[in-house]
Amino acid sequence: MRLVKGADIYSSQGEKLGTLDRVILDPSTKEVTHLVIGKGLLFTTNKVVALDRVNPEIEDNITLLSPQENLDEFDDFEDTNYVNLAPADRDGAEQDVEAAYLYPATNLAWWRSGMSGTYGGVYPSMPIYVRKTKQNIPQGTIALEEGAKVVSRDDKHVGNIEQVLVDSQDNRVSHFVISEGFLFKQRKLIPVFWISGIEEDEVRLSVEADFMDRLPGYQASE
């Protein structure tokens, strides 16, 4: 299975649902568990879909086994909550702009409770809300950004993730394709055993940039 940055994702009835935003994988086993559909015309938030909901018999694009009318069952990729900081945690904190609209009555409560003294630049009784975001992905997995930076063992930025190639037998990543860039004039195919670490926005390699430079350019087979 070829997971390409920005690839179109379709329902089982052929309607376009959105594009591939992220790939959810276990950094230790390299198993892909879910995909993230970017928000767009159909979704106001990014959605998470399990990889086993993707039709493995269609290789030309990413097609789900579910029709469009069943897509409400997909979880949001992220849940956002606003937390009122305790007074001891407020030093240097700034009120989240959206919270001022979500909790207007609460934000005015400090006026009625008195204005004597300040703490960290705000009144002590004024609530300070900060945004807390939780990703709805399996424990131990990461949401790899398509376009994540790739760094060689000698700390050189050698490209960015363009494609994730997945073995359909076990759903594990077999290779990454990195884009051409400042160092390389051609795309490069990286086997997964050259990967020393994976984070959301960065993939680190166990080989150096000079070694990568000697690799032939990658051309996807049709």
Side-chain angles (χ1 to χ4, degrees), residues 83-144:
V83 178
N84 184 14
L85 293 179
D89 299 326
R90 293 181 183 179
D91 192 19
E94 295 184 3
Q95 179 74 277
D96 188 278
V97 175
E98 291 187 11
Y101 294 95
L102 292 172
Y103 306 103
T106 306
N107 289 334
L108 293 175
W110 65 272
W111 180 273
R112 295 191 295 271
S113 62
M115 299 188 299
S116 60
T118 62
Y119 185 88
V122 297
Y123 296 103
S125 57
M126 179 180 178
I128 297 296
Y129 285 91
V130 295
R131 187 182 311 191
K132 298 291 185 180
T133 301
K134 175 187 176 183
Q135 294 181 341
N136 293 315
I137 61 177
Q139 186 174 5
T141 62
I142 62 165
L144 178 67

Side-chain angles (χ1 to χ4, degrees), residues 2-166:
R2 188 185 307 275
L3 303 176
V4 183
K5 176 184 177 181
D8 292 335
I9 299 178
Y10 298 90
S11 73
S12 62
Q13 298 166 327
E15 303 97 343
K16 180 179 174 180
L17 306 177
T19 58
L20 180 64
D21 184 75
R22 298 191 186 209
V23 173
I24 311 299
L25 58 85
D26 185 322
S28 59
T29 66
K30 311 301 188 295
E31 180 185 1
V32 175
T33 63
H34 295 73
L35 306 179
V36 176
I37 305 175
K39 61 183 179 181
L41 294 176
L42 287 180
F43 303 125
T44 57
T45 59
N46 293 350
K47 294 290 186 178
V48 178
V49 56
L51 192 64
D52 61 13
R53 303 292 292 273
V54 175
N55 191 336
E57 298 181 359
I58 300 177
E59 298 182 358
D60 294 339
N61 54 55
I62 302 173
T63 299
L64 305 186
L65 296 169
S66 302
Q68 181 174 326
E69 55 266 24
N70 293 343
L71 299 182
D72 289 340
E73 64 193 63
F74 296 154
D75 291 331
D76 289 342
F77 170 51
E78 293 180 331
D79 287 334
T80 299
N81 295 298
Y82 295 90
V83 178
N84 184 14
L85 293 179
D89 299 326
R90 293 181 183 179
D91 192 19
E94 295 184 3
Q95 179 74 277
D96 188 278
V97 175
E98 291 187 11
Y101 294 95
L102 292 172
Y103 306 103
T106 306
N107 289 334
L108 293 175
W110 65 272
W111 180 273
R112 295 191 295 271
S113 62
M115 299 188 299
S116 60
T118 62
Y119 185 88
V122 297
Y123 296 103
S125 57
M126 179 180 178
I128 297 296
Y129 285 91
V130 295
R131 187 182 311 191
K132 298 291 185 180
T133 301
K134 175 187 176 183
Q135 294 181 341
N136 293 315
I137 61 177
Q139 186 174 5
T141 62
I142 62 165
L144 178 67
E145 297 177 359
E146 294 273 343
K149 180 170 64 174
V150 180
V151 180
S152 64
R153 188 172 66 178
D154 49 343
D155 290 325
K156 293 183 179 180
H157 180 190
V158 297
N160 298 81
I161 297 294
E162 185 178 274
Q163 300 180 28
V164 179
L165 306 186
V166 180

